[in-house]
Amino acid sequence: MSSAFTSRRLDDLRAPQLDEALSASSIIVQPLGAVEQHGPHLPFNTDLLVADRVAAGAVEAVGEQHDVWLLPPLAYTKSNEHAWSSGTIWLSASTLLAVLDDIGRCIANTPARKLVFLNGHGGNSALVAAANRELRLSHGLMTFLAHPSIPADQGGNSASGELGMGIHGGTDETSLMLHLAPELVDMSVATRNVPEQLAQNQHVRFGGSVAFGWLSNDFGSEGHIGDPLPANAELGKQLFDGAVQTLGEALGEIAAFELPMT
């Protein structure tokens, strides 16, 4: 990238700069957030803010080294597990697939050939994984799905006291927000809500071998699933720094990744 470019945000470029800034080795990062209820203690923009900040941190750290460019975050995604809550703004599965295809088609119209979705909302994961293959087939892009952290119901970790059930508004997510935007968090109304009866199952559970359809209010009227009470900003900083480092490492591997492999 020319030293004339002082930003790694793709939307900061002017149209004549695009072909100079991007090449076939460029990596485009699209953060995916959500605007959805997060229990009584966290704001609607939790997933949006985390995805955007982690993406920005990683691009700042390794963007020059690996030719990475950042797009503005997509705020509205597939959040219909929270559709019962006023204030949740969600797209249907078919709409989000169409939006992701439109984004991919537009990226394919640039010199860049690699598109990374940094997904901050676990409810999007299966759909984005499907979209990755569709974009590969339809537009010839190399496509990738990353997360600030792997959700607990998809094989990731949650705090020990949450019995593997801390998937929404629990210890880790609340800690991240206490680090990133403490003014938006109200710990005075935070409560523990861990479905302990589900945690006793071997198979039918979050992260188990048998998945099930669910809505967040299936586990209580407050809408969070986990235990925010042990959350703290120090843990949030550790989690944030780790997420930025992990994404930066992944972007290095993506930079070296090529398809087809022969």
Side-chain angles (χ1 to χ4, degrees):
M1 182 181 78
S2 168
S3 59
F5 302 122
T6 58
S7 169
R8 279 279 165 183
R9 294 189 62 95
L10 191 65
D11 56 322
D12 283 344
L13 295 174
R14 298 183 301 277
Q17 297 176 303
L18 189 73
D19 287 341
E20 180 185 353
L22 299 185
S23 71
S25 63
S26 298
I27 302 168
I28 310 298
V29 177
Q30 172 65 75
L32 303 175
V35 175
E36 61 182 34
Q37 72 79 29
H38 264 77
H41 60 294
L42 293 181
F44 285 94
N45 68 352
T46 294
D47 293 343
L48 177 64
L49 192 150
V50 171
D52 190 35
R53 296 280 186 91
V54 170
V59 171
E60 181 180 1
V62 305
E64 190 78 24
Q65 179 183 359
H66 298 306
D67 192 16
V68 188
W69 293 85
L70 181 64
L71 289 174
L74 184 64
Y76 306 134
T77 56
K78 185 183 175 294
S79 298
N80 57 342
E81 66 268 43
H82 310 290
W84 57 271
S85 172
S86 176
T88 296
I89 302 176
W90 57 277
L91 304 181
S92 67
S94 58
T95 298
L96 182 56
L97 279 173
V99 169
L100 296 177
D101 182 74
D102 284 346
I103 291 171
R105 174 171 43 81
C106 294
I107 297 303
N109 197 38
T110 76
R113 308 315 302 158
K114 295 178 179 179
L115 174 60
V116 181
F117 293 110
L118 181 69
N119 176 37
H121 169 53
N124 293 328
S125 299
L127 201 64
V128 179
N132 272 353
R133 181 162 292 163
E134 297 302 310
L135 292 173
R136 176 70 183 147
L137 177 63
S138 299
H139 306 298
L141 294 171
M142 284 171 275
T143 51
F144 306 86
L145 168 60
H147 296 83
S149 61
I150 302 298
D153 58 335
Q154 298 171 35
N157 298 320
S158 73
S160 59
E162 295 175 316
L163 308 175
M165 302 292 104
I167 67 166
H168 184 65
T171 302
D172 289 355
E173 198 165 36
T174 304
S175 294
L176 277 166
M177 289 299 289
L178 285 170
H179 168 60
L180 294 173
E183 71 280 5
L184 300 180
V185 182
D186 184 359
M187 291 300 292
S188 71
V189 295
T191 60
R192 175 183 170 86
N193 183 42
V194 175
E196 298 192 12
Q197 67 275 27
L198 189 63
Q200 297 172 8
N201 290 351
Q202 181 179 354
H203 301 290
V204 184
R205 52 174 288 148
F206 292 126
S209 60
V210 178
F212 57 96
W214 55 273
L215 304 176
S216 56
N217 63 342
D218 287 333
F219 303 95
S221 60
E222 291 190 323
H224 63 295
I225 308 167
D227 186 2
L229 296 178
N232 61 85
E234 181 179 358
L235 174 59
K237 184 179 188 307
Q238 294 173 4
L239 293 170
F240 177 77
D241 291 345
V244 169
Q245 180 179 348
T246 297
L247 180 58
E249 293 168 354
L251 289 169
E253 294 185 6
I254 289 169
F257 185 91
E258 292 296 335
L259 288 174
M261 293 183 181
T262 57

